[in-house]
Amino acid sequence: MRIGYVVQQFYPMAYGSGVHAFELSRELIKLGHEIHIITKGLPTQKSYEFFQQIHIHRILPPISVPYYFPLNIALLWRFGKKIIKKLDLDVIIGHGFESSLFARVVKDSPFIYKAVGTIALQRHRKNITWRDHLGKFYFPLLGYFERVAIHHANFTIAISDAIKQEIRTEYNILGGRIYRIYNGVNLERFHPLQNSSLIQKQLGFDKEKIILFVGRLSPIKGPHLLLQAIPAILKEFPQSKFLFIGDGPLKAYFHKMIHSFRLNEHIKLLGFIPNSEIPQYFAIANLCIIPSLYEPFGLVALESLASETPILSSNRGGLAEIHQFLPKFPILTSLSPFSLSKSVIELLSDPAKLKRLGRIGRKVV
């Protein structure tokens, strides 16, 4: 079949959704299908590329715009439908609410909606930045798009039972049109035997305890909670280093707090790093923190576990379902800087337990 796959971002310049879309595309190709990705790119990228047997069609804005730029969806819709109409597609996969309106583009082709979250999750946001306040005005519109996609889709794939239940509750979808299929992880790319010596040399790290955060610097992901917990952790482990991989609206807040608490020697904000390079960072870390206030699934958790790096995460959304397979792992039931620092200190105080949890995590994944 000729499959069209609409997703706002795509590997290697992507967060979790774009990475999953790439891995899923590769598996579909192995089954003999032809994959056409319709996505938004950067001005420096090519509008069309044939990459690892995947046809990638990119909508290129004249200037680089942030991931959170509200008009990204409009750009994807305005130009993406033109691309789709030129392709003779047998089926369309829409990834996330950004793809919702494509349910009506090709009426003769089945539409599969991949729900990687619901607009209901926005209730969990903390209003820390101006973007969070602004979101109150356009989230209802996004919720409408999402409702359109789910009601017009032939089938809906939910990436966790939490998302499946939210879809049923929010949009009154009954029957067997919704299938829960968990995300997976590429065990060949994420493994503990990464050659990370160059990364360690570049970072200037030797025998320090390395704590890692990977994800958007967005309030709903909870990186500010880890930042606020760092002073207490450093009192017990003054040689610890904290790596934050990702970009987002909390970036200015992070720079301000790091300067105020004089944490420059202990924290490195690495910004956005292509997913192809991230496995090396998991391999050098002693612990990965996932303090999400809400998480549709938690792909970072699988990537860390595959690398034999234990996780300390909340149990919100899909993370709770991952923890069903990790009964010996600690959970952040209380999302506060105090609770987080206490749990990190306990884990760092027991290196043997960290290694044991790492081995268990790899086996589970």
Side-chain angles (χ1 to χ4, degrees):
M1 289 193 299
R2 289 167 60 88
I3 300 174
Y5 197 138
V6 182
V7 62
Q8 181 169 317
Q9 43 168 307
F10 193 67
Y11 179 91
M13 304 300 291
Y15 289 104
S17 290
V19 173
H20 174 76
F22 171 68
E23 297 291 357
L24 177 55
S25 296
R26 295 208 311 168
E27 294 303 316
L28 288 169
I29 288 169
K30 291 178 183 177
L31 296 174
H33 302 295
E34 182 180 309
I35 309 300
H36 291 264
I37 298 293
I38 297 91
T39 188
K40 194 181 75 64
L42 301 173
T44 55
Q45 293 180 299
K46 297 177 181 179
S47 59
Y48 170 78
E49 186 176 3
F50 188 60
F51 176 70
Q52 294 198 17
Q53 296 184 293
I54 303 170
H55 299 270
I56 306 174
H57 308 267
R58 298 190 182 96
I59 293 103
L60 305 179
I63 59 172
S64 295
V65 293
Y67 173 78
Y68 284 90
F69 189 54
L71 293 181
N72 276 336
I73 302 170
L75 287 170
L76 187 63
W77 164 249
R78 175 70 176 80
F79 298 100
K81 64 179 181 179
K82 289 185 176 181
I83 295 172
I84 286 179
K85 287 180 178 179
K86 292 179 182 178
L87 300 172
D88 184 21
L89 299 173
D90 297 303
V91 64
I92 298 175
I93 301 172
H95 194 117
F97 65 82
E98 298 95 341
S99 70
S100 55
L101 293 178
F102 289 88
R104 296 184 174 185
V105 173
V106 184
K107 296 181 180 179
D108 296 331
S109 298
F111 181 77
I112 300 172
Y113 181 65
K114 191 168 178 61
V116 295
T118 70
I119 212 64
L121 69 83
Q122 305 304 337
R123 301 188 187 119
H124 301 270
R125 296 177 75 98
K126 299 297 181 182
N127 295 325
I128 295 177
T129 71
W130 65 268
R131 289 181 177 86
D132 300 306
H133 294 282
L134 179 64
K136 292 180 180 179
F137 295 98
Y138 64 82
F139 284 151
L141 177 61
L142 302 185
Y144 169 75
F145 289 161
E146 193 171 68
R147 182 187 298 272
V148 167
I150 293 171
H151 277 279
H152 283 81
N154 298 83
F155 299 102
T156 295
I157 296 173
I159 60 173
S160 65
D161 285 321
I163 296 301
K164 182 177 180 179
Q165 183 57 41
E166 284 182 9
I167 290 172
R168 291 189 184 281
T169 302
E170 292 293 315
Y171 304 123
N172 193 29
I173 302 294
L174 304 175
R177 290 173 50 207
I178 307 174
Y179 296 86
R180 188 268 289 148
I181 304 176
Y182 288 130
N183 288 340
V185 64
N186 188 332
L187 296 177
E188 294 179 0
R189 289 205 304 115
F190 291 91
H191 59 82
L193 302 178
Q194 299 281 341
N195 183 8
S196 305
S197 56
L198 180 59
I199 293 293
Q200 284 184 288
K201 185 177 180 181
Q202 290 174 346
L203 294 172
F205 293 171
D206 185 17
K207 297 182 180 179
E208 295 90 347
K209 301 287 187 181
I210 300 175
I211 294 93
L212 181 65
F213 173 91
V214 179
R216 297 192 307 275
L217 296 183
S218 171
I220 204 166
K221 296 291 186 180
H224 57 291
L225 299 174
L226 174 57
L227 178 64
Q228 294 164 12
I230 287 175
I233 297 170
L234 289 174
K235 287 183 180 180
E236 299 294 328
F237 294 93
Q239 300 303 314
S240 297
K241 303 292 184 182
F242 298 82
L243 301 181
F244 288 84
I245 295 178
D247 210 341
L250 286 179
K251 186 176 180 179
Y253 171 80
F254 263 70
H255 283 292
K256 179 181 178 181
M257 294 293 288
I258 290 170
H259 177 74
S260 299
F261 288 100
R262 299 178 181 179
L263 297 172
N264 300 74
E265 294 183 5
H266 300 279
I267 297 176
K268 287 188 180 293
L269 300 180
L270 301 178
F272 181 86
I273 291 178
N275 193 269
S276 57
E277 301 175 17
I278 287 180
Q280 301 173 76
Y281 291 91
F282 279 113
I284 66 171
N286 299 96
L287 182 63
C288 179
I289 310 295
I290 312 173
S292 299
L293 281 69
Y294 182 89
E295 192 67 59
F297 176 70
L299 185 58
V300 167
L302 295 195
E303 293 173 345
S304 184
L305 295 170
S307 307
E308 282 194 10
T309 300
I311 62 170
L312 175 62
S313 84
S314 68
N315 62 346
R316 307 294 175 86
L319 288 171
E321 295 169 50
I322 293 176
H323 271 285
Q324 292 177 2
F325 302 94
L326 303 168
K328 296 183 180 180
F329 276 62
I331 298 175
L332 289 169
T333 53
S334 173
L335 283 175
S336 68
F338 172 77
S339 175
L340 206 161
S341 61
K342 181 180 178 182
S343 296
V344 171
I345 289 169
E346 289 178 358
L347 284 169
L348 294 182
S349 299
D350 193 346
K353 181 178 180 179
L354 276 177
K355 289 186 177 181
R356 186 168 64 253
L357 291 176
R359 290 192 294 269
I360 291 173
R362 170 77 182 183
K363 289 180 180 178
V364 167
V365 173

